[in-house]
Amino acid sequence: MGIKQEIQSEIIQAVETVKQINPMAGSITNSVTINLVANAQLAVGGSAAMVYLPDEAEFLAKTGGATYVNVGTLLPIYEKTLPHVAKVLHEAGKPWVLDPVAVGIGSLRTQLLKQFKVFKPTIIRGNASEIIALAGLWELDGGTDESNVRGVDSTDSVHAAKKAAIALAKWTGGAVAVSGETDLITDGSIIAISYGGSYFMEKITGAGCSLGGVAAVYAAAANPFIAALTASAVYNLAGKRAELKVDGPGSFQVQFLDELYKATAEEIANNPFDLEEV
Amino acid sequence: MGIKQEIQSEIIQAVETVKQINPMAGSITNSVTINLVANAQLAVGGSAAMVYLPDEAEFLAKTGGATYVNVGTLLPIYEKTLPHVAKVLHEAGKPWVLDPVAVGIGSLRTQLLKQFKVFKPTIIRGNASEIIALAGLWELDGGTDESNVRGVDSTDSVHAAKKAAIALAKWTGGAVAVSGETDLITDGSIIAISYGGSYFMEKITGAGCSLGGVAAVYAAAANPFIAALTASAVYNLAGKRAELKVDGPGSFQVQFLDELYKATAEEIANNPFDLEEV
Amino acid sequence: MGIKQEIQSEIIQAVETVKQINPMAGSITNSVTINLVANAQLAVGGSAAMVYLPDEAEFLAKTGGATYVNVGTLLPIYEKTLPHVAKVLHEAGKPWVLDPVAVGIGSLRTQLLKQFKVFKPTIIRGNASEIIALAGLWELDGGTDESNVRGVDSTDSVHAAKKAAIALAKWTGGAVAVSGETDLITDGSIIAISYGGSYFMEKITGAGCSLGGVAAVYAAAANPFIAALTASAVYNLAGKRAELKVDGPGSFQVQFLDELYKATAEEIANNPFDLEEV
């Protein structure tokens, strides 16, 4: 069995395990897309719970299979909640996904994202500009001081974030997923390029956030690289399928959730991807 | 006219009154499902308004027909807002619905739910695990210290919560609705079992919360038992109908709102239910 | 070319510019409809970003094309964020849209809305009751002390708010849009009445908020009057079209987003409207 077949077999196992054990992935996430994150997590077979307070986040971190942390719409309480939960997760050796949304905007966001460095998120998911900016903030290879982040949208290509993604993955010992027209997923030694998706995914809000939330669900059942790749694969598959059936972003979002729910383990594993050595 | 016919006639009256007077039911609720709560309240003919601050909650409590309180995603301000609004509602004799989401997680949640005991919520709506845990927290019959709450999902059956539901209803003098595969509604002396619904209701987020919000709308136009039963009936009816027309959770949520909107008073009253004496 | 043709030509330019430059309109908005606001902004070709903290709001205000401020679900931090961002916007001469949701409820809301008077929002969008109450709060013509605001719904007709709308527009030097069965848009010297829409727009939550968010997107590419009229026109067009294809509020919301996305510049400019001199 080649390396690709091995990975496909691990994807199948991740998807099936999730559908069997229904793992709870708690989230501290933004209020714009919080509903889509939860519904996407449920659609793939996980369970969702969202909180804001430090002790509640600690409870979910300890009892859940994995945790999703998205810094999208920071509230004052996040100053206490986020470093605390990241520390708890790190010390407990529990998987967690960091979504460094809009890194570069505001002082609390910068302070929190800096603090996360030592707590080594298991998976980091972002668009190219966010990945490059986070690597810069953490003073790793491929990062840059000059953030190209414009609000929440990327102005860099996925390819441009390759070096930063590898450096981040090497630092954390986990995986990094760069979302874009094609997705790049790496654990620092191997790179997967996942194909598919839809232009409608940029015409709705939350395609990226909910991908992060779904990656957390899979991280409760697989290693970081497989979890990130499985999440990207089911998103690319569901996006491609949904686009064929709709003609606007409203119906795309509805159909996309349906396709997330209907995708089988084999179909997800067979969604096109390429591998390359770092 | 038998007791069942009498209840059906009261359900018809509740539904029609709501469609006529369009009662405002203010909410302090979680950010995950806040949009679905509001849209479900509008779909059945009510009016919605959501707030966080103590004086705004007091305003809605006093001017609205009923109030919905959901402790899902607590923010620090809730420590001031929730006991205050519960007190205002109790002293004004205004109906309110308590949704003790994820009772057992975190210290503020426990503290708030304990405080609510003396303010006697008119309707308590929760899944079986939440109802059992709340009865335990209030040291009533049927409750337990060992909470089986796993995040926001139930690990107990509706039947297992019967004793706790009755004890809670006797304490408050109102009604309790336990949501599950079948729903149990009681005022402490009579029990209704409401049938229908869909397996998709566990595959979307907010079926429970929005049922609580809709119960608040009906509580502005009927007694607690009828309000809780009417809300459960329209949910079971709309869920059953929506499931027949869709093949995924995204389209289920859309179709479900449509069915909530289209259900007539007679259809809701005729949704199957059984009665038993306590 | 008559005045109406001139306006239609400016509407076409506004729509096409937005689709070309994809302007970012940051928002500080309520948590009930925050997702719909973002998705509507994306559907018409804009870009969205939502924040709560003062320095983040300042960042978006300075870098975005325009800003949307909605006081729907106030959090304590808004006491710092909102006056600060309004001041930044006013001093930078950047367009911003104020949505005075539920003016009259609570002391912070009243205090914030009073403070906004000197920062002259470029566009004010509200229902008739909100426009009348805001004019009253600012002690302008057509306003009243006796607020008819019942939660978030209007109890006054659009026509009744005409005097208040004109007075507000004259004070700010911008535009005012009164939403209702027909919409009234004025810059203080000319009035446009925009026709269309759907009765389903009162059966979903967020038709008004997201119209405000979309007006902010157009305000990044057109003068306040044209921006407000363009937003009202595309909403009336999309609402009318969506209603023909659906039979409930769930599917209406989905179809409405699709129609927002599909409407062409010419179709929006040709959506029926009348003009009158003040």
Side-chain angles (χ1 to χ4, degrees), chain C residues 123-146:
Chain C
I123 297 175
I124 299 168
R125 191 222 67 86
N127 64 40
S129 297
E130 288 161 353
I131 295 299
I132 292 169
L134 185 67
L137 197 66
W138 288 4
E139 299 177 338
L140 300 174
D141 273 6
T144 171
D145 271 355
E146 306 157 64

Side-chain angles (χ1 to χ4, degrees), chain C residues 11 16 38 108 123 191 201 211 217 220:
Chain C
I11 290 175
E16 287 178 348
L108 177 57
I123 297 175
I191 289 173
M201 289 169 99
L211 171 56
V217 168

